[in-house]
Amino acid sequence: MRVPLSWLREYVDLPATETGRDVQAKLISAGLEVETVEQLGADLKGPLVVGQVLTIEELEGFKKPIRFCTVDVGQANGTGEPQEIVCGARNFQVGDKVVVVLPGATLPGGFSIAARKTYGKTSHGMICSSDELGMGDDGTHGIIVLPPETEVGKDAIELLELVDEVLDIAVTANRGDCLSIRGVARETAIAYGLPLRDPALIDVPAPNAYGYPVQVTDPFGCDRFTARTVTGLRPEARSPIWLQRRLQKVGMRPISLAVDVTNYVMMELGQPLHAYDRSLVQGTIGVRRAREGEKLVTLDGVERTLHAEDLVITDERGPIGLAGVMGGANTEIADHEVTEDGVNGTSDVVIEAAHFDAVSIARTARRHKLLSEASRRFERGVDPQAAAAAAQRTVDLLVLLAGGTAEAGVTEIIAPSAPHTITLPAGHPDKVAGVDYGRETVVRRLQQVGCDVYGQDELLVTVPSWRPDLVDPNDLAEEVIRLEGYENLPSTLPKLPSGRGLTHRQRLHRRVGRALAGAGYVEAPNYPFVSEQVFDQLGLEADDPARRVVKLVNPLSDEEPALRTTLLPGLLGALRRNDGRGSHDLALFETGLVFLPREESHGATHLPVDRRPTDEEIAALNAALPEQPRHVAVVLAGAREQAGWWGKGRPADWADAVEAARAVAREAGAELIVRKGQYGPWHPGRCAELVVAADGAERVVGHAGELHPRVLKALGLPERTCAMELDLDALEAVGDGVPQAPGISTFPVATQDVALVVDKPVPAVEVEAALREGAGELLESIRLFDVYENAEQLGEGRKSLAYALRFRAADRTLTVDEASAARDAAVALAGERTGAVLRG
């Protein structure tokens, strides 16, 4: 919310010496986040005056249109003679009043003005646009043309209010009242201890039977609707300079008088309004839920298909506006145009000031991806009592500025409601803050924010209509604390129990991260949100459990409404972005939670805040949450080893992904079984299934290998991208639990190499398992170091697997016979189980 200091001073008599920085400090102390104070016109220096164009000469022979003008600037130039100025703009004509900057002046940005020769003429100054003066967008993108009655020679700096200070406030979601000058003025008045001139405290006529007919069929969605009618507006009437400048300072673009007035009142009082061209509204104005599939063209020119939960404004034809979001094009206020019959445009308007349900407006705005100033306020909470005052303020301004007539009819539909009351122990803020405020201070601070307070030890507090965020005693306590000053709270360090170190789960998490980082992987944490379309891109089957997702009711992005069931989408997205930015040799990893819905879902209960929840309450809350196992995943692309003087290097392949899985398993103290597999995004012939054994049963805990070309194309990934994903919790469950330091034997090792010939379909992992079991306890390690295929030497459909077996005893030096016997036993069992025979 942008708040001009000059506008704020209208409602609070701030000391003349107070600057924007001073007000910023006060508001920050009161709990508002004032991000910046913009100094408008700080580097602007005159003379900057109003001039009238006397003559225009079109200069020929240049690439763009150039005009040589003479401008009357009165006595501002010291001579009274017309000022000669060269200008390229074409949105003004002879007789127009314009803004002229004379030699010796300085424009925003340090741009000094001097007489200079250009296009064969000498230009003594400039005719200015709003951009050149730092005024913001005025919708014309050209020279400022002032009203005809503007006095020639008048100081334009004062006329256009170019010097000001604007506070930029980041309003939190619970403080919708501060999305208005009225709300910020109230906070400023409290901070300075000054009275507030509330702009909403104006005389409002009582509703009667003569107002424009309105019918509200959904009182829950719209609990208040005020309609006023103004007729006889001058279509040619323009918004005065002061109104346009205030809109520009708060970040809005002037459009037309009727629209500008509704925007001005919205920024002033915080109540969104809408003006309908009365001649285009047919019959009774209604408020209802949309019918599924209804169409509406909004003011931005987009045809929207409505949802059954959308709240709409209607007439006899159907929807004419999205309630609280944006009006419809079929009742838009028409700009004036000059015709042979005179000036045409909107002359009669119906003013709508309503109060809509915050949740309904928020959902409609997000559903249609249509965030507006109105929806921003409604979804944060608008003062329902301000609707009638805002409508009256709009009527008064239209009558004043456009010569209209306010019709006597006043329509006001109000759903019955009672003010919200809260019972508050007088000492509750003291208890929360740890400070002795006392009852008088509590009552005074609550009354300052607009509450009515009754009672002694037990206070009965009636919350003001503009503060819907105050719902329980803790909210009231926070009001007292923030106004008394957060800086006055005592600083007390909590007394923590002595530490017990990291848990085993935390230590494993760190070891896995260090191991992968040591292997050359870079950690890349990602958001846990995914789109369900990504499962199609990953090639998952329709019945794959990973497609069952937990969806968020209010996601950060409608494009990613679900929680991830796999780490791969985020990691692959990070790999794609980095590859697109020139980093082609990539190895990324992530450890994090995935979210799996439970078979039976239970609603979460609200935990108490005045005591520690019981174990049963915590268990009930956990039961309502999805299962959240920890996974670890890696992705690789490009070169795994760089080329150089030492060699050619090599690209990353499926074996690197498998080795990453083995590294993680080693850190968990788990034995990982690697065998051929086929799943989802991996290439069928280059995919390893990762298995652990527990309690005599095997469990698949992940996959590793090269991704399928179709997946690479769908996700825009580099060729031969590889990936691995493991269930880290499952590895931890079957792991040793205690990291073991490697033992160093004093006895020599006996190495025996064997080459076994087997059928090609036989997995190497089965041969290795048989060799390991057959060799017995003397076997220290086994390593596959060669795979050889040659039909002429080995036979059709056969392959050779060469293993290095290392034997060692813990208490003696092995003899050759002992090592050979262990090797022979291993080969024999491998032959029995897999049909392996010694090669050669």
Side-chain angles (χ1 to χ4, degrees):
M1 176 68 190
R2 290 171 57 84
V3 180
L5 189 60
S6 59
W7 198 349
L8 193 63
R9 289 181 181 274
E10 282 197 9
Y11 309 124
V12 184
D13 289 327
L14 294 171
T17 56
E18 288 295 285
T19 66
R21 297 290 184 189
D22 299 327
V23 177
Q24 178 189 32
K26 286 282 190 178
L27 292 180
I28 289 176
S29 178
L32 292 185
E33 185 181 348
V34 185
E35 293 186 324
T36 59
V37 178
E38 184 179 352
Q39 307 288 335
L40 300 183
D43 52 354
L44 176 64
K45 186 180 75 171
L48 188 72
V49 299
V50 175
Q52 184 172 21
V53 180
L54 301 178
T55 64
I56 298 177
E57 178 188 350
E58 301 288 345
L59 301 182
E60 305 293 340
F62 300 102
K63 293 182 179 179
K64 62 179 181 178
I66 298 296
R67 311 168 96 185
F68 181 66
C69 310
T70 59
V71 185
D72 178 13
V73 295
Q75 296 299 318
N77 58 3
T79 64
E81 296 294 325
Q83 200 80 2
E84 296 179 340
I85 298 175
V86 175
C87 183
R90 308 192 65 80
N91 68 313
F92 65 96
Q93 56 191 355
V94 173
D96 281 347
K97 303 288 181 66
V98 294
V99 178
V100 178
V101 57
L102 300 177
T106 303
L107 293 183
F111 182 54
S112 299
I113 302 299
R116 66 190 184 96
K117 190 169 184 179
T118 179
Y119 297 104
K121 302 284 186 179
T122 300
S123 181
H124 299 271
M126 284 175 53
I127 302 176
C128 297
S129 68
S130 60
D131 287 339
E132 290 164 339
L133 297 180
M135 295 170 56
D137 185 9
D138 64 355
T140 64
H141 302 291
I143 294 302
I144 301 170
V145 179
L146 300 171
E149 63 273 14
T150 309
E151 178 186 351
V152 172
K154 183 178 178 63
D155 184 0
I157 296 178
E158 179 183 349
L159 174 70
L160 299 177
E161 302 176 16
L162 297 178
V163 178
D164 203 349
E165 294 181 275
V166 179
L167 285 71
D168 194 349
I169 303 175
V171 179
T172 55
N174 66 319
R175 292 303 304 273
D177 61 304
C178 288
L179 287 174
S180 66
I181 304 296
R182 178 197 185 200
V184 176
R186 181 180 293 106
E187 292 295 318
T188 305
I190 296 172
Y192 279 91
L194 297 171
L196 169 70
R197 289 188 292 275
D198 191 340
L201 294 180
I202 59 178
D203 292 332
V204 177
N208 54 51
Y210 311 109
Y212 197 92
V214 174
Q215 182 178 14
V216 177
T217 59
D218 189 341
F220 176 79
C222 176
D223 57 7
R224 185 179 293 261
F225 195 105
T226 300
R228 300 291 299 276
T229 304
V230 181
T231 60
L233 300 177
R234 298 194 309 272
E236 73 279 6
R238 296 173 52 186
S239 299
I241 292 174
W242 64 266
L243 193 150
Q244 293 187 46
R245 287 297 294 133
R246 286 193 170 178
L247 289 179
Q248 288 175 325
K249 289 176 185 179
V250 297
M252 302 191 76
R253 178 171 63 88
I255 298 174
S256 64
L257 178 59
V259 176
D260 292 348
V261 166
T262 58
N263 285 337
Y264 177 85
V265 175
M266 176 179 66
M267 304 307 289
E268 181 182 56
L269 301 182
Q271 169 66 53
L273 303 108
H274 190 70
Y276 301 93
D277 188 328
R278 182 174 177 176
S279 65
L280 300 178
V281 179
Q282 298 181 10
T284 300
I285 291 178
V287 183
R288 62 169 172 82
R289 298 287 172 174
R291 300 184 182 94
E292 191 69 37
E294 277 188 307
K295 305 285 187 181
L296 171 67
V297 178
T298 45
L299 287 173
D300 57 358
V302 177
E303 182 180 70
R304 304 184 184 276
T305 301
L306 303 180
H307 188 276
E309 292 184 4
D310 292 336
L311 198 65
V312 293
I313 311 297
T314 65
D315 65 4
E316 292 180 352
R317 296 166 296 178
I320 60 173
L322 266 178
V325 181
M326 185 174 285
N330 53 357
T331 56
E332 181 180 6
I333 300 293
D335 290 334
H336 79 279
E337 59 177 350
V338 180
T339 65
E340 295 180 357
D341 300 330
V343 178
N344 291 331
T346 299
S347 58
D348 301 340
V349 297
V350 178
I351 306 299
E352 165 211 311
H355 184 261
F356 301 111
D357 174 58
V359 174
S360 176
I361 300 306
R363 289 178 177 173
T364 295
R366 282 158 178 75
R367 187 179 298 118
H368 294 282
K369 298 180 176 62
L370 187 60
L371 301 180
S372 63
E373 291 289 347
S375 68
R376 184 180 174 213
R377 284 161 176 77
F378 276 123
E379 67 185 38
R380 285 166 173 78
V382 168
D383 181 6
Q385 303 289 342
Q392 182 63 42
R393 180 81 166 119
T394 304
V395 169
D396 292 343
L397 287 172
L398 289 176
V399 170
L400 175 67
L401 301 177
T405 301
E407 289 195 351
V410 178
T411 301
E412 191 164 17
I413 298 176
I414 303 175
S417 62
H420 180 55
T421 60
I422 303 172
T423 301
L424 173 74
H428 184 66
D430 300 14
K431 181 180 177 182
V432 172
V435 176
D436 186 13
Y437 292 125
R439 178 187 177 280
E440 290 185 3
T441 299
V442 171
V443 171
R444 176 171 57 86
R445 288 303 190 183
L446 292 179
Q447 288 175 338
Q448 283 181 331
V449 299
C451 297
D452 292 329
V453 186
Y454 304 95
Q456 293 298 319
D457 295 336
E458 198 80 9
L459 303 179
L460 184 63
V461 181
T462 302
V463 175
S465 58
W466 57 82
R467 290 299 302 273
D469 59 305
L470 303 180
V471 296
D472 60 38
N474 289 317
D475 295 328
L476 299 179
E478 182 182 4
E479 291 299 297
V480 175
I481 295 168
R482 74 175 181 88
L483 294 179
E484 284 295 303
Y486 290 119
E487 67 276 9
N488 296 323
L489 294 177
S491 298
T492 305
L493 293 176
K495 296 180 180 179
L496 300 177
S498 58
R500 292 175 291 180
L502 299 176
T503 65
H504 172 67
R505 179 185 176 91
Q506 291 169 327
R507 289 196 295 270
L508 174 60
H509 187 208
R510 294 192 177 188
R511 289 202 309 273
V512 167
R514 284 195 294 264
L516 291 175
Y521 291 86
V522 176
E523 187 170 13
N526 295 283
Y527 287 118
F529 312 115
V530 296
S531 165
E532 291 184 89
Q533 284 73 29
V534 76
F535 300 126
D536 295 328
Q537 296 171 323
L538 290 176
L540 300 186
E541 298 292 338
D543 58 349
D544 194 298
R547 285 183 176 269
R548 294 185 62 244
V549 295
V550 177
K551 290 188 178 180
L552 300 174
V553 175
N554 187 20
L556 291 179
S557 169
D558 291 336
E559 295 179 358
E560 295 181 331
L563 292 173
R564 65 190 179 190
T565 56
T566 167
L567 300 182
L568 289 183
L571 266 183
L572 293 174
L575 185 142
R576 179 178 61 249
R577 287 190 297 273
N578 282 277
D579 180 74
R581 294 169 184 172
S583 298
H584 303 302
D585 303 325
L586 295 162
L588 309 178
F589 84 93
E590 180 180 8
T591 55
L593 301 180
V594 298
F595 304 85
L596 309 177
R598 298 181 186 272
E599 294 297 332
E600 296 183 5
S601 59
H602 304 281
T605 57
H606 291 285
L607 296 181
V609 295
D610 57 345
R611 59 174 174 82
R612 183 189 184 280
T614 65
D615 293 340
E616 292 76 13
E617 289 172 330
I618 296 176
L621 181 63
N622 289 333
L625 298 175
E627 295 181 19
Q628 301 176 52
R630 266 187 321 165
H631 281 203
V632 57
V634 306
V635 293
L636 306 100
R640 186 66 176 133
E641 294 178 2
Q642 294 290 339
W645 57 265
W646 53 84
K648 296 181 178 179
R650 68 174 184 84
D653 61 16
W654 61 268
D656 295 303
V658 173
E659 180 55 32
R662 287 197 170 104
V664 172
R666 284 194 295 270
E667 295 300 326
E671 183 177 349
L672 194 66
I673 302 172
V674 181
R675 62 192 182 201
K676 182 179 179 181
Q678 181 173 343
Y679 176 71
W682 281 277
H683 193 296
R686 298 167 188 159
C687 173
E689 186 177 73
L690 309 175
V691 180
V692 295
D695 300 328
E698 291 185 347
R699 176 184 173 186
V700 178
V701 294
H703 294 83
E706 183 180 318
L707 297 181
H708 198 289
R710 284 198 300 267
V711 173
L712 303 183
K713 182 178 180 181
L715 294 175
L717 299 172
E719 292 183 358
R720 313 303 290 268
T721 297
C722 300
M724 177 278 292
E725 183 167 14
L726 272 173
D727 185 335
L728 191 55
D729 283 349
L731 280 181
E732 181 183 5
V734 302
D736 191 344
V738 178
Q740 299 292 331
I744 301 176
S745 176
T746 59
F747 298 100
V749 67
T751 302
Q752 298 274 352
D753 294 343
V754 295
L756 303 177
V757 179
V758 297
D759 293 335
K760 283 186 179 180
V762 175
V765 67
E766 293 185 8
V767 178
E768 180 180 325
L771 289 172
R772 189 183 300 276
E773 182 178 343
E777 62 182 11
L778 293 180
L779 181 66
E780 182 179 80
S781 68
I782 180 171
R783 179 174 61 88
L784 175 66
F785 66 85
D786 184 53
V787 178
Y788 177 70
E789 296 180 8
N790 188 309
E792 294 181 2
Q793 296 184 17
L794 304 177
E796 193 67 34
R798 305 279 280 176
K799 65 182 178 182
S800 171
L801 304 176
Y803 293 90
L805 308 178
R806 292 169 58 92
F807 298 98
R808 196 192 313 255
D811 57 351
R812 67 188 187 281
T813 300
L814 292 179
T815 65
V816 174
D817 292 339
E818 287 178 308
S820 298
R823 181 203 61 187
D824 294 341
V827 172
L829 188 58
E832 178 183 336
R833 290 189 177 176
T834 66
V837 296
L838 281 171
R839 178 180 168 189

